[in-house]
Every structure is written in C-alpha cells, then in structure tokens.
Amino acid sequence: MHELLPYINQQLTGILGDIKYFIPEIYLSLLFIVVLVTDLLFGRTSEKLCRIVACAGILLVITKDVTQLPLIGDTLQLLFSGMLLQSHTSIIFRLIIDASAFLLLLYFAWDEPLKSHRKKLSDLYAITIAAVFGLHLMTMAANLLSVYLAIEFVSIASYLLVAYRSENAFSTEAGLKYVLFGAAASAIMLYGISLLYGFTGTLNLFDPNFITGLIHVNAAGSTFALVLVLVGIGFKLSFVPIHFWVPDVYEGAPTPVTAFLSTIPKVAAFVLLINFLTPFIISPQWKAFDFGLYLSVIGIITMIAGNFAAVMQNNAKRMLAYSSIGHTGFALMAMITFNGQGIKALEYYLAVYVIANIGALMLVTYFETITGSADVNTYKGLGLKYPAASISFVIILISLTGLPVTAGFTGKVFVFSAVYSVYQANHNVWLLLLTITGAVTTIVSLFYYIKIPLNLFVKRTDSISEPIAQPNYILITSIIISIVLVLLGIFPNWLTQFL
C-alpha cells in the first residue's frame, strides 16, 4: 500500500492541474443539477423557471468556453491521464454546440404539441443539458473508454428526447426504433473496442503502443476492429450504410427534437471522428487501413443516397432527414483532407448548416401549426398569406442548397477549395470524385428544396381561409436566422476570424 502513495499523489496532482481545462463541463454538470432541483422544488409550475435557468446557464457555459481559447492556444492538451483531449478545434466545435443548444432550449417551448405534453417541459430541459454535457465529452474523448461512455451518454439522453411524447404512438415507435438501432450500434462498437484493446493492450488512442500494437497485428484483424468502431461513430453521423434509422426517427420525434438530432450530435461526432483518426493520420508507419479511401467511398455514397432519396419525399421532416444525410456526406469531404484548411472549412460549414437546419425545422413547426400537416403540398398558396415566414423559409433553403449569396454557398466553396487544394498536391482520384459528386448532388438538392417555395408562391389552392394568427417567437427567430445566413454569406470573415 505504501508504495502506491507516491503514485496516488502524482495522479491527484495531475487531476487538480487539469481541472482548469474542464471548467465549462463542471458548469454544465452543476447546471444539470440546478435545473433538476428546480423542477423537484417547484413541480408543475417550474417549467418557465427551468427554461430561464437552463438558457442562462448555457450562456454562462459559452463564456467559459471562450475563456478556454487563450488558455489552450494552438496546443493539444491531454487531460486526466489521457482520457480527454483539449484543443482549439474542440473548443470551437463546443461553442457551436452550446450556441445551438441555447437556440434549441428556446425552440422547445414554441412547439405546441410538445408544450402541451402533460409532463410539461421541465424534464426536457434537464435531459438536454445532460445531452450537451455528453456532447462536450464526445468532442474531447481521447481514450476508447471515454469514447464509448460519451456516445452512450448522448445516446441515452437522445432516446429520452425522441420518446418524450409517450402518449403519441408515432413518437413512441420512433423512440423504440432509435433505442434498438442505437443498442445494436453500441454493441458493435464495444466489440471493436475490445478487439483493439486486445491487439494493443491500451485504450489510449495517443499512447505510442496503440499504433505500434496495431501495426504488428494482421491487417485484416485490425481493419475489422476499426470498422466496428467506425460503425458506432457513424451511427451518430448517420452516414451510409448506418443511416436507415434516420427518416422514421426524425419524422416520429417532436420537431424540436428532430432539430436537435439533426444538428449538434453530428457536430460532436465529427470532432470525435477527428480525434479518433488523428493518431493514425500523424503516424507515418500506419499503412494497414486507408481511412482516406474508405471515408471517400462512404462520403460519395452518402451524398448520392441522401440527396436522391430526399427528392422522393413530400413530408418536410423526412425530406430534411434525408438531406441531413446528404450534408453529412458533404461534410466528410472537408474532413478527408486531413489538414488545417479542411478542418477550418468543416467548422464554418457545420456552423452555418446547424443554424440553417434549426431555422428550417422551426418554420416546419410554424406551417404545421397552420396546416396541421408536415406535407409540403399543404403549403400551397401560403406564401402571400404569410410573406415574412415564407421569404425566410426560402432564404434558409437557399443556404441549405448552397446557392449565392448565402452562408451555405460560402461554406461549400470553402469545402471545395480545401478538397481541390489537396487534389492538386497529390492528384488522388477519390478527391476528384468527391468534388464531382458534391457538385452534382448540390444541383440535385435544388430539386427537393425547391418544392417548398413552389408550393408557397407558385401553386394555388381553392381555400380562401383567412391567415391564422401565429406566435411571433418562431417568426422573429427565423427572420433573424435568414438575415444572419445572408450576412455570413456576404461577409464570411465575421465568422472565420474566430475559427
């Protein structure tokens, strides 16, 4: 026992020294407890108070994220004996996650079906805060154990969010499908992790013994293990072929929960994938598994499958679900460059995608309240009755398509530029195929996004009903989002200077 005392003292000293890099996550955990206690103390009357506490707390967490930037600089900092990794890139992505979470916490109370739930929304705010904490851990995971725990943390919170409206059979079915597919993906990933541990004798991705151990293993065995782990990460990213759960779950979940699932877990999963791949990319000895090749193939198939499937959809939520799959494939293009320019392009692209997608789903809620349906054919003739919401919807869809002069166009230009610059250096044919596929699927996306403007402004209906008064919160927020997307498209440096 006595011989362990110096080791224990050393570990405690290391932990205390690392806490300064973990302040935002400590605030998130405290915020979760405060929201939970507020709900317990005030019961059914606590909904508004929990929302105020949650939103104020997230803003405080954002300020703590910002203070981490000068603290970490451009260095990589391993925390808690290599369990977590702090870097400038992970902080930027956490800022995107937290800013989006703030917007979603506001949005939850604007959805009437969700707001009318008999349990109210206090529990929903606590679950969302817990999910954000898990997303923070995903962006920092540098050990296979922390990778698994972070993904499970987010998955459990996501299952609860999807099935929150338990009295709704469609929502319950979506939650059950999500749990079953998620459990299968987790089991597969855990098997892959166990194989990697057996091959290397370590769970630390940045331990030199990790890559060295895999190099001395049969290439087929290491490839099999890595593919199994990528299945678990791919489940969160929803790239092909682990995408089949997305349309049903997105359609069955409450629309604000769909906005959550389609945005910030993807952001965290991309950072997790970057952390997972970094030891392999920086190791000159690693040759067994060509991540660039396999991810290029996945990116091409994902872009094609997502965008062409979206063309056949008339339900706005299913259409946006398939389009999110296509966006995942496009974002993979930036990551496959494996350089700083590609990561910066990915940061910008995901930031504007998250804003636009949340705005689009907010307007789906807005028009669903009017028509009682998420079918785009029910939007006929509503453009002139609700001009502000309709114009905002068009601008947001233009950004999602990637047309000038919106931020979505600038984001796609950044991604194409990053990929093409690497192609010029090594003339990798897969990068050329990615670029061509990205351009073609961008054109294809216009065919399904344009359905909504066509129904709003071009097609007419026999109905002569008067406009229905709507709450102004969604309308004002969607207008602000559309203006931000245009301004960031014209002045991208307003955002890129912080990335």
Side-chain angles (χ1 to χ4, degrees):
M1 181 66 184
H2 291 289
E3 62 270 15
L4 293 178
L5 289 177
Y7 177 75
I8 293 172
N9 182 62
Q10 181 184 359
Q11 288 291 96
L12 289 175
T13 303
I15 291 170
L16 292 174
D18 290 339
I19 283 199
K20 63 183 178 181
Y21 299 108
F22 201 65
I23 295 297
E25 291 67 40
I26 293 173
Y27 273 77
L28 269 174
S29 59
L30 292 174
L31 178 61
F32 170 73
I33 294 171
V34 170
V35 173
L36 205 60
V37 170
T38 302
D39 181 28
L40 292 173
L41 290 177
F42 295 93
R44 290 184 175 272
T45 61
S46 67
E47 182 179 342
K48 288 185 178 179
L49 187 57
C50 285
R51 186 183 185 211
I52 292 170
V53 171
C55 290
I58 284 290
L59 289 176
L60 180 60
V61 171
I62 290 172
T63 63
K64 296 302 174 183
D65 286 334
V66 173
T67 61
Q68 293 287 305
L69 287 170
L71 187 63
I72 197 68
D74 294 325
T75 62
L76 296 177
Q77 183 71 39
L78 287 170
L79 311 178
F80 308 124
S81 302
M83 293 296 291
L84 301 176
L85 174 69
Q86 183 73 290
S87 66
H88 182 274
T89 299
S90 68
I91 295 171
I92 294 298
F93 279 109
R94 288 203 296 280
L95 281 169
I96 296 171
I97 289 168
D98 293 341
S100 306
F102 175 77
L103 193 57
L104 288 166
L105 287 169
L106 295 176
Y107 177 23
F108 287 147
W110 299 339
D111 185 80
E112 285 302 321
L114 193 57
K115 188 179 180 181
S116 61
H117 183 49
R118 57 185 176 81
K119 291 191 297 186
K120 302 302 179 184
L121 299 181
S122 301
D123 293 337
L124 197 70
Y125 298 131
I127 295 168
T128 304
I129 297 298
V132 172
F133 178 79
L135 292 167
H136 273 232
L137 295 182
M138 281 179 65
T139 65
M140 303 170 72
N143 183 290
L144 290 172
L145 180 59
S146 59
V147 166
Y148 180 75
L149 291 176
I151 289 177
E152 284 304 288
F153 206 125
V154 176
S155 295
I156 292 170
S158 300
Y159 302 152
L160 294 172
L161 289 173
V162 171
Y164 194 76
R165 289 181 61 201
S166 54
E167 80 288 352
N168 183 294
F170 202 15
S171 181
T172 304
E173 180 187 351
L176 180 60
K177 287 179 179 179
Y178 194 26
V179 169
L180 293 175
F181 292 138
S186 295
I188 291 169
M189 182 177 67
L190 192 59
Y191 183 40
I193 289 173
S194 67
L195 289 175
L196 290 177
Y197 178 68
F199 293 153
T200 64
T202 180
L203 292 171
N204 190 338
L205 292 169
F206 291 86
D207 186 336
N209 293 327
F210 183 76
I211 296 295
T212 303
L214 281 181
I215 289 173
H216 291 95
V217 173
N218 181 276
S222 60
T223 297
F224 180 65
L226 290 170
V227 168
L228 295 182
V229 176
L230 288 175
V231 166
I233 300 174
F235 179 78
K236 286 298 172 194
L237 285 172
S238 64
F239 56 58
V240 175
I242 321 153
H243 69 291
F244 42 80
W245 59 275
V246 172
D248 289 340
V249 172
Y250 281 22
E251 184 182 4
T255 308
V257 175
T258 301
F260 171 87
L261 293 175
S262 62
T263 52
I264 52 180
K266 286 181 180 288
V267 175
F270 269 109
V271 191
L272 178 59
L273 186 57
I274 291 170
N275 291 345
F276 180 74
L277 295 181
T278 298
F280 299 96
I281 302 305
I282 63 177
S283 173
Q285 299 172 310
W286 179 254
K287 305 292 182 184
F289 186 85
D290 189 346
F291 286 100
L293 170 62
Y294 286 98
L295 290 177
S296 295
V297 173
I298 289 172
I300 290 170
I301 297 172
T302 301
M303 281 189 279
I304 293 171
N307 285 285
F308 278 90
V311 173
M312 299 180 283
Q313 307 303 315
N314 286 319
N315 182 287
K317 288 173 71 173
R318 288 186 73 88
M319 184 178 74
L320 289 170
Y322 279 111
S323 79
S324 76
I325 296 170
H327 282 285
T328 296
F330 193 90
L332 277 172
M333 288 175 59
M335 211 200 66
I336 291 166
T337 59
F338 302 127
N339 63 19
Q341 183 185 358
I343 298 302
K344 296 293 182 186
L346 180 65
E347 291 170 351
Y348 185 92
Y349 184 81
L350 288 179
V352 298
Y353 163 73
V354 165
I355 297 170
N357 210 56
I358 292 175
L361 284 161
M362 279 186 177
L363 288 165
V364 169
T365 295
Y366 185 88
F367 285 105
E368 189 174 357
T369 306
I370 296 168
T371 64
S373 171
D375 193 309
V376 296
N377 292 316
T378 61
Y379 295 175
K380 290 178 181 177
L382 296 180
L384 298 178
K385 292 181 181 178
Y386 306 93
S390 300
I391 292 171
S392 298
F393 211 164
V394 172
I395 293 172
I396 289 169
L397 293 174
I398 286 173
S399 183
L400 286 171
T401 306
L403 298 179
V405 289
T406 58
F409 171 75
T410 309
K412 290 200 170 186
V413 168
F414 286 160
V415 173
F416 280 130
S417 298
V419 174
Y420 187 68
S421 65
V422 176
Y423 171 73
Q424 282 186 312
N426 59 22
H427 296 284
N428 186 322
V429 68
W430 287 105
L431 293 177
L432 180 61
L433 290 174
L434 272 170
T435 306
I436 294 170
T437 306
V440 171
T441 52
T442 295
I443 297 170
V444 172
S445 68
L446 185 62
F447 285 89
Y448 57 84
Y449 283 132
I450 204 171
K451 288 181 182 180
I452 292 175
L454 282 176
N455 280 289
L456 287 172
F457 291 104
V458 178
K459 295 185 179 180
R460 292 289 180 260
T461 179
D462 295 332
S463 172
I464 54 173
S465 59
E466 292 297 319
I468 302 171
Q470 292 290 308
N472 291 324
Y473 308 117
I474 288 180
L475 179 59
I476 293 171
T477 307
S478 61
I479 291 172
I480 292 171
I481 287 174
S482 61
I483 292 171
V484 167
L485 290 172
V486 171
L487 290 176
L488 288 179
I490 299 172
F491 307 105
N493 60 301
W494 287 2
L495 181 58
T496 55
Q497 63 181 322
F498 300 108
L499 299 179

